[in-house]
Every structure is written in C-alpha cells, then in structure tokens.
Amino acid sequence: MLRLILLAVSLSLAILSWRKAVSAASPGPAFVAFESGPVRPLAMSADGNTLFSVNIPNATLEIFDLSTGTPSRTGSVPVGLEPVALALRGSTEVWVVNHLSDSVSVVSLEGIPHVVRTLQVGDEPRDIVFAGTPLRAFISTAHRGQHREDPALAEVPGAGDSQLTTPGVPRADVWVFDAGDASEKPLQILSFFTDTPRALAVSPDRNTVYVAGFRTGNQTTTVLQGRICQGFQPNEPCTLKDGTVSPGGNPGPATNAKGEPAPEVSLIVKYNRESGHWEDELQRNWDDSVRFTLPDTDAFAMDANTLTQTLAFAHVGTTLYNMAVNPASGKVYVSNTESMNHRRFEGPGLFAGQTVQGHLAETRISILTNDTVESRHLNKHIDYSKLAGSPDFDPKAKEASLSTPLDMAVSSDGKTLYLAAYGSSKIGVFDTASLEDNSFDPQIASANYISLSGGGPAGVVLDEARGQLYVMTRFDDSLKVIDLATRKEVAAVAMANPEAPSIVKGRPMLYDATRFSGNGEAACASCHAFGDMDDLAWDLGNPDDTVSKSPIPVNLGGFVNLTLALGAPLIPSALNGSNRVEDFHPMKGPFATQTLRGLRHSGAMHWRGDRSTGPMGTDAFDAKLSFKNFIVAFQGLLGSAEMPSPEEMEAFADFQLQVLPPPNPIRRLDNSLTEAEKRGRDFYLGARPSDGIVLPALITQAIGQTSFSCNGCHTLDAGQGFFGTGGKQSFENLTQVVKIPHLRNLYAKVGMFGTPSVSFYDATDSGPMGDQIRGFGFTGDGGTDTLFRFFTASVFAPTSNSGFPQKDPDGARRDMERFMLAFDSDLAPIVGQQITLDARNRATAGPRIDLLLARAAAPFRSKALPGAATECDVVANLVIGDQRMSYLYDPATASFRPGDASPAKNDAEFRSLAAKPGQEITFTATPPGSGARMAFGR
C-alpha cells in the first residue's frame, strides 16, 4: 500500500512539474503548419537492418529495426523544424536537413542516438548527399539567408552578400562541408545559375554531384501591357513612345462570349529556341519588349573533389522535384513537370477556342546522359483535347496517370525505376530501357503501378534482399511496406503526428489528381507546389464566363467614379473593360501564381480579389469563404467531371488556412533593421501620402476619402494579421482595379532584371541585361523586374507634398526596396534557429544561445499565433546517461525546466552539462506556443 501511495505522490509531482514546465512556454498554438515538401525522407543502412525516416511535422528522425522485414520503431531523435531530407555517413551518423531551421542536424548513432553537431546553412535547405575524396557533405540551399551573410564566414569562399538587387547572380547555392571535420564552418559555398535548388544526386563512382533547381521556369515571361498596341487588332502594329514597333494588339478575343469588352492586359510570351525569338501564340516577334535572356539552365554536374562545375543542363523541366542515378549506366533521372502557362484561359474554351483545362503541367522524367537532355512524358496517353463531360472523354484514362512525381529508386541492375507519384497515391514502375527510348505505353505500364493507402507517397527505398520497397506516405505520416513480387502493400507503420485532424483531412485536396481532376494529372499543386508558388504567371481568364460585381471597398474608388462621371478617363483604355470600378471581367489577363500560405487573415483572394464572390457566397473580407469559392477551379481548370462537395471544400479551407509562410530569411535574426531598412520603414509608416495624388479638400469631402501613405493601403499590423493588405482594393492607374496584396514573400521573387520603357514607370529603359534567372518578377503580372522600378511608378512621383521625397528620391526608393525585402511576417526571424553546445565550442555557441534566449523574452504579437506573447520558445535536448532529456526555457526565471519532477536549472548550470563528452545540448527556437509540446509532448 505504501508503495502505491509513494507512486501516486511521485506521479502527482511529475504532473505538477510538467504543468509548471508547460506554463513556461508562450501561450501560442501548440502546432504550426508549414507544409514543407519532402525531398529525401528515407534511407536504409548499408547492412539492411535499419530504416531511417524524417518525421516532418514532429521535427524528429525516426529509427526502425528491419530484422523482421516490417519496420519496428526503436528510436526517435529531435532534430530541427521541418526535416525534409537525410543521408547516412557510414554506419555511425545520420545527417538531417531541416528546411525551416536552415540547419543540418548531425545525429550520432553510437549509444543513445542524439544530435552531436548542428550546421547552420543557407535559407530553405532541401537535400544532402555525400561524395568525393576526402568525403564531403553537399547541401542545397537558396542563395540568401542570414547564415550566408554571417561575418564569421568571411573567409569561406562563396559566402557573403546575397546580392538581391544585383542582375545576373546565380540563385542556387550548395554548401560543402568536410564530413570528417568537427568544424561547423563550410569549406565552400558554390553557386549555380538557376533559382533556389532542391534535389541532389551522386554518380556511381562518388566523384560527381548533380544539382537541380526547383522552380526553374520554362523561358516564358510577361510583355507589359504598355508595350501592346491598345485598341488595335492583333495584326495592326503600332509605334511606341520609345520608337520601337509593337507587333499589334492583344491576341483577343476582345470581349467575352456575351460581348462585354475585356480590359487591356499584358501578354505571356515564350522563347522559341528554333526561331531565336520571343513569341506569342500567334508567333509574333516580341524581342523589342524583352530586355534579358533566359538560358533556362536547370541542372548541373560538379566535380566532388575539385568543387568545380563541369556541366550545365538546360530545358530539363519547369518544376524539378528529385533526381536519381542509374547505378549501372550512370544516367541521371530527373522527376519534373513542364508547365503550359504560355497557353491561355480556363473554362470550356468554347468562345476563344482554347483552354488549359486539365493541361496545366505534364508529368515527366528527364534523362541526363553526358551533356544531353531527353524528356519523357509519363502521361502521353492523355488526349488533352477531350475535356471531361464531352461525349468522347474517357474517364478511365486517369487510371494510367501519375501526378506530382517526387522521389525515385533504381534497382541495382539498373533495369527498373520506382517513382513516388505524390498526387496519385501510386508508385510508378518503369523499365528503364523503354523509358529511355520512349517506347513505353502508360496504359500497359500502369498494370505494374503500385497503389498505396494513406496518400502522398514521398520517399522510396529498395530492399532487394527482402524483395521489398519501403515508402513514406506524407498524407498520413506513415511507412508502407510493399512486396515487390505481388506489388501489394503488406504492412503500414504510423509515425507520431502532432497535426490537427483538420490538417490531415484537408491536405489531399491540394494534391489529389485522381479524385479531383479529369485526366489524373492536374491538381491544385500543379501550380501551387506544396501550397506555395510556381514562379510563373498564367492567363486564366474565362471568356465563356460573365462579368460579376465586386463587393470590396476601393481606396480612392470615389475619386475614380467621380472622374469617370465627369468624362475624364484616367487611363488610355476603359477601366476593367467597362469603366466601372466595381466590375470583375472574367478575362483578367496574366497574373503571377500567388502562395497559398498565410491566407487566414488576408480577406478576398486572387490578385483582383475576385474570389470574394462565387458559388459559395459573397463577402469582401471573409478569407475562408473566398477560399471555398475556388471550388469552380476543379472543373474549369483541373478538368474534373464534377465539383467537390461543400464539405470537401470546407475541409480544404480548414487545412490550407492553417499553413503559414516561413520567417523572413533576409531580416536580422534579432528582428532589428539595418539603417537603410529603418529609413524605408519610417517612410512606409510615415504620414506623407505616397501615392502622388493629393486630393483637394472639396473632393475628399465629396467622396469621404483622402490620400494614403504606404501603410494607408498596404496595412502592416501583425496583431490584426495584416502584412501589406488590409483586404481592400485600390486603383493605381492600371487597366484593372486590383486587391492590395500582402508583401511577406517579395524576397522570393528576385532574379529577373531588365524591363523596357513604359509610361507607367518613370525609370528609363534598362537596356539589354543579358542572362537572368527568372522570367517573372514583381507586380500582379510578374512583368516588373525590380522593386526599385516599381517605386518609380507615376503614382509615386515626387511632389512637394506627396510621393517619394523630391530630395534624393532614388535613395528613398532604395531604402524602401531594402525594407520590402526584409518585410515583417507572421513569425519572427529567430523561429527555427538552432545551435548545439558541446565541450569545445562554448566560445562560438555561447553568443548564439544568448540570442535565442533573448528572443524568447522579446515581446511579439501575431494574429496567426493567437495568444503568443514572445518571439519564440526555446527547447533544449540532450542525453544524460541512458536517458534522453528535454528542457523548456522559462524567460521569467531565466531557467530551464524539465518534464519530470527534477528541479529547474539556471542558465549557467544547464550549459555546464555540455562540458561532459556525450552530453551535447541542442537548443531550438520553436514557434511561440510549440515549445511545451516539442519538449514534453513527443
């Protein structure tokens, strides 16, 4: 009886201690969704006895014993936030890439597996491989981030300024570390002439590393509306103000099916490699309106020993997901999609005679052999001319289709390739010879495809000794075991998943191309890769649709209406096509793909806000309703035979509106601003009207509106969830009224430099700018190359009392540009950051730990994190003896609290634990509110 009493007392004390520890955390949400895309989530030990998997939502490395053939979990190691890839170094270490933490966790497998080192790397790391002699680690990251500009890396070749405002700069970095050196500094940072990279691969002899960009484009760009002959027929050229001749007017049609005039819009053109010209669908030459070239280099080979680039591969694909090397032939397979954004219009295509319905992006594998690229369309059986609902449409065609191709594995004899089709819940199985010579028939090959439960196959590992395939399915966060002889799923092992049921339930709506498309290839994720962007613009107007009315208030709308009523047109062509401020014409012209992250408090959606009205209802500011109005895209764009149910759209909205964007990687980690950024912020938040329109008092009284500062339109109020948009529309001397957009991810749009002269901007013609990374930049249509140029718009013209200051306006524009790139976001920059303290690095790790603890005490408000009071929580993990321990930092007492009944430790006492070999402490800044769960709930 006494033992039971003592046990009860002990349990009560433990619960009390845990509650106290939990109270040390910020009261924000326990889990924050980011929807990071898995890259290399699985690996098997060389002896075949152990399987390793990242657990993305749980921020852990999971370890499974394979001795029985079915994975049996033997360990779980806390790593960084959003782990998306891993690689084994021998039999003693696993290196894990943490996408949100901008770090690599080096996990020792000796004794109790735990993190022994943390490497800081560039922004958004995605993949890792080992190669070369001596052995080196290669990590792919974006060409930006606080770590690459760290003064401590001043002597590292390739480190330093991200050059966000410099033309022609490579935007894909690979950080190289000496795998056997305990140093946390890279040997070198290599840069490649493509956009943010994703996948890596290694040649069979381990001497060559292959690098692939992610959203690399397809040699398309936007010709600005001011370069198109307004009101002219397509075959009527006109002379522009700069003396160049434009090929003519917009390709049309000039109205929708009901004869309602469409607004004058910009135009997407594609570089024709055969003719050597920028051309539209009418094959008109637009060379005089494009001021740069796009080499479209997508993948690269480098010597792993000399660290030099040896080959560049162009035109591999638009969005590149993963790479695998054939161990027998050395050929490189690249899973990718090729986007069709140079084609126009959603809907049935009746009036205009064309549509991209169901044909957004083709699923492919491209084969790199020596210096050649050959692409294979995996769904070549699809007849895109046959739309769902037409008499000759074959609803069974989708059964042979694959969507969103991710990870691959190749058999040791090089004869069979296994492909994880993320949006199809299948593993594609291909004979490599027929794939390479393009003789395969998808409708025959699909008989060998492997269906999976759970959905979202993201990683594949071959276990040829057991005749099995292991698959990580992301939708249900599980491992699946496939018997290769029968091609059947024989076992499933769930991993710990802290996601809310609403996230798990709604996620398939973003990716599922089997249930939600006509031909099994198209999905929302075809453009919104992992809920983000594709870095392209699309003209997705619908000429078969009709004009609708906007419920959204318009800044200066009263002034525009008054001007129109007086018969003084504000722009050369009719506003919105009709000269009515409230119209949404269905033919809207090109608009850049927007991110689906951070939508919860953004109000109406789309660049114009036109999802504020639709079949699910009308409301100017209801983000959830606006999101649900996207229901029409499943038929009009994805080509589904039927719409999702209202309940399915509710689930989709519940999922996607929880996903947040990452912290800003440009802003300093202590959340402070540089002097230039401060000056930009001061102007942004200042009282001076920035739009260059100061209305007379009589007019402001008549319309009830005054002029606006930057913040007057682009509201910055984290407490209200406003990061550049308050939900209203605005007239900015454009041909359409647009919704005021958010400004959180402008840093991700850098890479296009070169714009011709147009009347909208006071900046001069850039002239030829040579090779650039991207074909789309800023503003709605992606046609503006830099933020600086945007700030030269005529509406911001310097006057005595409005616009940029007359004294040094360009200096003020540069300051604004710097502030825009470092713009505030839902999370503080410190979130995700890590450091591991050990017996040897106290001097270098100490200041970084100080930074993390200081930010855990720094006040921070964000509506995206209800109740959060500080910038982050700080969790510390270590192994003491034979026990894994987690502590949560309490800024109120400057102490670390454990999850058991043992007493808290002050900062100095806690850090001293790391002086003992094997007791390395890893500190992680988590989103505020997540600390208690990540310390004690796992």
Side-chain angles (χ1 to χ4, degrees):
M1 186 68 179
L2 180 61
R3 290 180 63 187
L4 290 176
I5 293 173
L6 291 175
L7 179 61
V9 171
S10 175
L11 181 60
S12 298
L13 289 173
I15 292 173
L16 179 62
S17 176
W18 185 83
R19 285 177 176 169
K20 287 181 178 179
V22 169
S23 70
S26 170
F31 179 80
V32 175
F34 297 104
E35 199 59 17
S36 301
V39 181
R40 189 188 302 271
L42 289 179
M44 186 173 66
S45 61
D47 61 11
N49 292 328
T50 310
L51 183 70
F52 302 91
S53 175
V54 298
N55 186 335
I56 297 175
N58 205 43
T60 52
L61 168 69
E62 305 294 336
I63 305 173
F64 298 88
D65 176 68
L66 290 177
S67 58
T68 65
T70 298
S72 174
R73 182 174 172 274
T74 60
S76 180
V77 182
V79 287
L81 301 190
E82 303 291 288
V84 295
L86 57 83
L88 306 182
R89 176 179 174 254
S91 60
T92 60
E93 285 183 352
V94 182
W95 292 38
V96 180
V97 175
N98 306 305
H99 183 66
L100 196 89
S101 288
D102 298 343
S103 68
V104 174
S105 299
V106 180
V107 177
S108 172
L109 300 176
E110 296 178 328
I112 296 179
H114 66 289
V115 175
V116 293
R117 278 190 294 155
T118 299
L119 310 177
Q120 276 82 49
V121 295
D123 186 40
E124 297 185 346
R126 284 187 167 92
D127 202 3
I128 179 171
V129 295
F130 290 100
T133 305
L135 191 67
R136 290 156 173 172
F138 298 80
I139 299 107
S140 60
T141 86
H143 185 82
R144 59 175 182 256
Q146 298 96 338
H147 296 154
R148 85 173 323 278
E149 299 186 1
D150 189 338
L153 301 186
E155 297 180 1
V156 174
D161 186 5
S162 301
Q163 299 173 287
L164 296 176
T165 59
T166 304
V169 172
R171 299 285 162 193
D173 284 355
V174 173
W175 290 51
V176 185
F177 291 84
D178 185 332
D181 184 2
S183 171
E184 286 147 8
K185 285 187 180 181
L187 295 172
Q188 190 169 339
I189 301 174
L190 304 170
S191 298
F192 300 88
F193 203 81
T194 190
D195 214 337
T196 301
R198 180 174 159 91
L200 301 171
V202 181
S203 62
D205 64 7
R206 316 298 296 178
N207 289 326
T208 301
V209 172
Y210 298 96
V211 185
F214 180 22
R215 305 185 297 244
T216 62
N218 56 1
Q219 291 187 303
T220 56
T221 189
T222 297
V223 171
L224 290 167
Q225 179 263 334
R227 303 290 297 182
I228 300 168
C229 303
Q230 297 184 49
F232 283 59
Q233 293 298 314
N235 59 353
E236 287 185 274
C238 67
T239 301
L240 303 173
K241 289 183 178 180
D242 64 357
T244 59
V245 176
S246 173
N250 206 284
T255 71
N256 65 350
K258 292 191 69 173
E260 296 165 308
E264 293 284 349
V265 296
S266 54
L267 178 67
I268 294 175
V269 296
K270 185 176 178 66
Y271 187 73
N272 186 326
R273 295 194 291 271
E274 293 182 2
S275 69
H277 299 296
W278 292 97
E279 296 177 356
D280 62 16
E281 65 195 56
L282 303 179
Q283 296 184 309
R284 295 180 297 177
N285 182 333
W286 291 92
D287 290 354
D288 286 340
S289 293
V290 181
R291 294 291 187 264
F292 54 85
T293 52
L294 291 176
D296 194 30
T297 45
D298 299 337
F300 308 84
M302 68 169 143
D303 188 307
N305 301 308
T306 63
L307 303 183
T308 55
Q309 179 181 314
T310 56
L311 287 173
F313 302 92
H315 323 309
V316 179
T318 306
T319 304
L320 281 55
Y321 287 103
N322 280 72
M323 291 196 291
V325 176
N326 187 312
S329 67
K331 293 184 177 182
V332 182
Y333 305 110
V334 185
S335 59
N336 68 91
T337 57
E338 180 71 0
S339 296
M340 301 292 120
N341 65 307
H342 57 291
R343 298 177 179 172
R344 295 186 298 151
F345 302 139
E346 64 176 298
L350 300 177
F351 183 68
Q354 59 179 307
T355 179
V356 296
Q357 187 183 104
H359 194 187
L360 300 174
E362 296 180 355
T363 301
R364 311 194 314 177
I365 288 178
S366 295
I367 303 153
L368 314 184
T369 308
N370 298 323
D371 59 352
T372 65
V373 179
E374 296 179 293
S375 297
R376 303 293 181 246
H377 183 198
L378 301 185
N379 299 328
K380 58 185 179 178
H381 64 286
I382 297 175
D383 183 345
Y384 295 104
S385 69
K386 296 178 181 178
L387 304 181
S390 62
D392 54 355
F393 177 73
D394 180 7
K396 293 186 177 181
K398 67 168 62 179
E399 296 175 6
S401 298
L402 299 174
S403 178
T404 313
L406 297 192
D407 198 16
M408 292 168 286
V410 184
S411 60
S412 58
D413 62 8
K415 294 182 179 180
T416 308
L417 181 145
Y418 299 88
L419 168 70
Y422 199 64
S424 304
S425 296
K426 297 174 186 173
I427 300 297
V429 184
F430 296 93
D431 173 78
T432 55
S434 63
L435 180 70
E436 291 168 9
D437 66 18
N438 205 23
S439 63
F440 72 98
D441 182 337
Q443 292 182 305
I444 296 175
S446 62
N448 290 322
Y449 294 174
I450 302 167
S451 297
L452 297 161
S453 64
V460 288
V461 166
L462 266 174
D463 185 351
E464 292 180 292
R466 296 184 179 90
Q468 295 188 154
L469 183 74
Y470 306 114
V471 183
M472 192 268 259
T473 49
R474 176 66 184 92
F475 293 179
D476 63 351
D477 211 31
S478 298
L479 297 179
K480 305 296 163 58
V481 182
I482 307 301
D483 184 299
L484 291 175
T486 63
R487 287 185 164 80
K488 299 292 185 182
E489 181 180 315
V490 295
V493 180
M495 295 188 285
N497 190 348
E499 295 174 327
S502 58
I503 294 177
V504 177
K505 181 180 179 181
R507 175 177 286 117
M509 296 291 296
L510 177 63
Y511 303 100
D512 189 346
T514 302
R515 165 72 174 83
F516 296 115
S517 77
N519 55 34
E521 185 173 59
C524 299
S526 298
C527 298
H528 296 282
F530 303 110
D532 201 12
M533 308 177 291
D534 60 4
D535 295 344
L536 303 173
W538 297 75
D539 186 341
L540 298 180
N542 184 354
D544 293 294
D545 207 347
T546 59
V547 172
S548 59
K549 299 299 180 182
S550 169
I552 307 172
V554 182
N555 284 352
L556 297 178
F559 171 61
V560 177
N561 277 327
L562 178 63
T563 307
L564 293 173
L566 294 174
L570 295 172
I571 52 179
S573 61
L575 179 67
N576 294 337
S578 63
N579 262 342
R580 290 190 295 268
V581 175
E582 68 275 13
D583 280 357
F584 284 139
H585 197 284
M587 296 166 64
K588 55 195 172 185
F591 279 114
T593 305
Q594 293 178 305
T595 183
L596 299 184
R597 299 171 176 178
L599 296 179
R600 179 175 289 276
H601 306 293
S602 295
M605 295 176 194
H606 266 179
W607 280 101
R608 302 183 304 173
D610 51 34
R611 289 303 188 211
S612 57
T613 184
M616 306 295 277
T618 297
D619 192 297
F621 300 109
D622 188 334
K624 187 172 186 179
L625 176 67
S626 190
F627 189 89
K628 290 193 293 184
N629 275 330
F630 279 96
I631 191 171
V632 297
F634 284 87
Q635 284 184 318
L637 191 55
L638 304 187
S640 177
E642 59 186 25
M643 287 187 182
S645 69
E647 293 75 21
E648 286 172 324
M649 284 307 296
E650 185 83 11
F652 193 4
D654 286 342
F655 153 66
Q656 192 62 64
L657 295 185
Q658 295 183 63
V659 179
L660 290 187
N664 188 302
I666 310 304
R667 200 173 179 118
R668 288 171 170 171
L669 291 175
D670 65 2
N671 215 6
S672 66
L673 300 175
T674 66
E675 290 304 313
E677 291 164 359
K678 287 178 185 176
R679 292 191 297 268
R681 184 183 174 93
D682 288 345
F683 180 78
Y684 184 93
L685 296 175
R688 179 181 173 90
S690 59
D691 56 20
I693 302 175
V694 178
L695 303 178
L698 185 63
I699 294 179
T700 61
Q701 291 173 9
I703 66 175
Q705 290 179 316
T706 60
S707 302
F708 297 94
S709 65
C710 297
N711 192 58
C713 281
H714 290 275
T715 308
L716 174 55
D717 186 341
Q720 294 298 313
F722 296 154
F723 295 96
T725 182
K728 293 183 179 181
Q729 290 178 318
S730 181
F731 167 73
E732 294 295 342
N733 207 25
L734 300 170
T735 60
Q736 299 182 83
V737 173
V738 295
K739 188 204 164 190
I740 300 163
H742 81 102
L743 303 172
R744 283 170 291 191
N745 62 347
L746 297 179
Y747 65 85
K749 297 175 181 284
V750 169
M752 167 182 155
F753 292 84
T755 300
S757 173
V758 290
S759 57
F760 186 77
Y761 294 120
D762 292 336
T764 59
D765 192 312
S766 69
M769 297 297 288
D771 288 351
Q772 299 301 325
I773 296 295
R774 297 161 52 92
F776 300 95
F778 301 94
T779 62
D781 61 9
T784 302
D785 61 344
T786 65
L787 291 168
F788 178 85
R789 184 176 299 274
F790 174 71
F791 294 135
T792 71
S794 56
V795 293
F796 306 134
T799 70
S800 60
N801 58 3
S802 68
F804 282 95
Q806 291 178 308
K807 181 181 179 181
D808 191 20
D810 281 357
R813 290 178 177 119
R814 291 295 181 197
D815 291 342
M816 273 289 290
E817 183 175 43
R818 298 308 304 186
F819 174 56
M820 290 293 100
L821 294 171
F823 203 75
D824 301 62
S825 192
D826 305 79
L827 297 163
I830 199 66
V831 170
Q833 297 298 308
Q834 296 188 288
I835 189 67
T836 297
L837 176 68
D838 60 26
R840 60 176 178 77
N841 70 348
R842 188 179 185 88
T844 55
R848 188 170 175 86
I849 298 171
D850 294 341
L851 173 65
L852 267 60
L853 303 189
R855 304 328 296 168
F860 186 78
R861 290 175 64 243
S862 172
K863 195 171 184 179
L865 304 167
T870 62
E871 289 188 5
C872 67
D873 292 342
V874 173
V875 171
N877 291 289
L878 74 160
V879 169
I880 299 177
D882 60 355
Q883 189 173 5
R884 190 186 309 282
M885 299 289 291
S886 293
Y887 288 78
L888 180 65
Y889 180 66
D890 181 359
T893 60
S895 63
F896 288 85
R897 294 184 175 183
D900 60 16
S902 56
K905 298 181 183 296
N906 65 42
D907 185 14
E909 180 185 13
F910 185 68
R911 294 195 204 191
S912 69
L913 295 176
K916 183 177 180 179
Q919 287 189 177
E920 299 88 352
I921 307 173
T922 298
F923 299 82
T924 303
T926 76
S930 297
R933 175 188 62 79
M934 296 186 69
F936 314 124
R938 292 189 293 200

